Amino acid sequence: VQLQASGGGLVQAGGSLRLSCAASGQIYSSYIMGWFRQTPGKEREFVAAIRWSGDYVYYADPVKGRFAVSIDNAKNALYLQMNSLKPEDTAIYYCAARVTSTSKYDYWGQGTQVTVSS
């Protein structure tokens, strides 16, 4: 499985961005697709996850109600719609995939930088 994230950029606080993650290779409906983020000096932080079949949607508390994760199976793509962005959302965002809901994330895309100015 290969993943490639895109869509990052600079946005003012309160604004929106949509990140995309293009997926290739064999992906089964049971795979869990996730979004993570990382800032310098901090550990990578979970943001959101969704099963490739479109169910099992889960969000980290800091982004609940502001971010929405979705799948477009026809385009083999994962998305993260980010609304009401805050400066603390500034980070490098990564997409990832794991085989089951209990396995570790084995597949990672390169990151895309999101910067939210105050």
Side-chain angles (χ1 to χ4, degrees), residues 96-107:
R98 58 179 178 175
V99 175
T100 71
S101 61
T102 55
S103 63
K104 63 182 178 72
Y105 283 89
D106 285 320
Y107 307 102

Side-chain angles (χ1 to χ4, degrees), residues 5-68:
S6 62
L10 173 63
V11 64
Q12 288 189 331
S16 298
L17 275 178
R18 189 176 82 152
L19 303 184
S20 300
C21 178
S24 60
Q26 185 66 62
I27 302 175
Y28 296 95
S29 59
S30 59
Y31 278 29
I32 305 295
M33 311 300 292
W35 285 100
F36 291 77
R37 64 188 182 187
Q38 190 170 23
T39 55
K42 292 188 177 181
E43 291 191 359
R44 196 169 293 184
E45 173 189 29
F46 169 78
V47 175
I50 184 171
R51 199 189 314 269
W52 190 249
S53 59
D55 59 357
Y56 184 79
V57 178
Y58 187 77
Y59 297 97
D61 286 342
V63 307
K64 279 182 181 176
R66 299 189 298 122
F67 290 11

